[in-house]
Amino acid sequence: AEESCAGCHKNIDPFGFVLESYDQIGRWRTHSPPLRTSKKYKEALGLPVESAGKLADRTKLEDITDLKKYLREDIAPFAECISEKLLTYATGRSMNCSDHKLIRDVVKDVQGGGFQDLAIALVNSESFWTR
């Protein structure tokens, strides 16, 4: 409801809703945890999980299979994001403009490959070795 928050939440919430079907350690769930104030907490079921959402581009996501399909249609933004996070963690610093260009180039070069190909390309990159 807060206007200052709504701009970001309209972009991130649908992804979170789809992932709501998984608990903190990745187990499938159909209900959210019950409120701990419940007298019969251990036996109680929480509210049913609602995993549907609509992305900013109006793409409807009903469940995790829709999210997988959406990501497969254009994997580059996801690959660039995960590459940035991996390099930031590995180098202990924020990425700069030249790092972002390198990341785009690496993602383009390993297009069609898997995560292992991406990780190897990042480890072999100049950004990784010149911390």
Side-chain angles (χ1 to χ4, degrees):
E2 279 296 318
E3 191 175 324
S4 62
C5 301
C8 291
H9 275 275
K10 74 177 182 182
N11 293 321
I12 61 175
D13 283 354
F15 294 103
F17 295 152
V18 169
L19 297 172
E20 194 65 28
S21 296
Y22 297 93
D23 70 7
Q24 298 88 336
I25 61 171
R27 292 179 302 198
W28 182 259
R29 65 181 181 178
T30 57
H31 289 77
S32 61
L35 297 175
R36 292 189 186 270
T37 57
S38 163
K39 290 181 180 179
K40 296 184 177 183
Y41 170 70
K42 298 208 185 241
E43 298 87 28
L45 282 176
L47 296 172
V49 169
E50 295 181 26
S51 61
K54 188 187 296 185
L55 300 176
D57 69 359
R58 300 183 187 257
T59 301
K60 290 182 183 179
L61 301 177
E62 295 294 328
D63 56 25
I64 195 70
T65 56
D66 289 341
L67 178 58
K68 288 179 186 178
K69 187 175 14 170
Y70 178 79
L71 291 174
R72 283 187 182 131
E73 287 174 7
D74 184 11
I75 196 69
F78 176 76
E80 288 175 15
C81 180
I82 199 165
S83 296
E84 179 182 348
K85 302 302 179 196
L86 288 169
L87 274 179
T88 299
Y89 179 78
T91 61
R93 64 176 175 79
S94 297
M95 298 292 99
N96 59 39
C97 291
S98 64
D99 293 318
H100 288 291
K101 181 184 179 330
L102 178 133
I103 287 169
R104 284 191 302 275
D105 292 344
V106 165
V107 167
K108 201 179 298 182
D109 289 346
V110 298
Q111 193 172 21
F115 180 77
Q116 184 176 4
D117 296 328
L118 181 63
I120 290 169
L122 291 171
V123 167
N124 288 325
S125 72
E126 183 179 343
S127 289
F128 182 82
W129 287 100
T130 58
R131 255 180 94 147

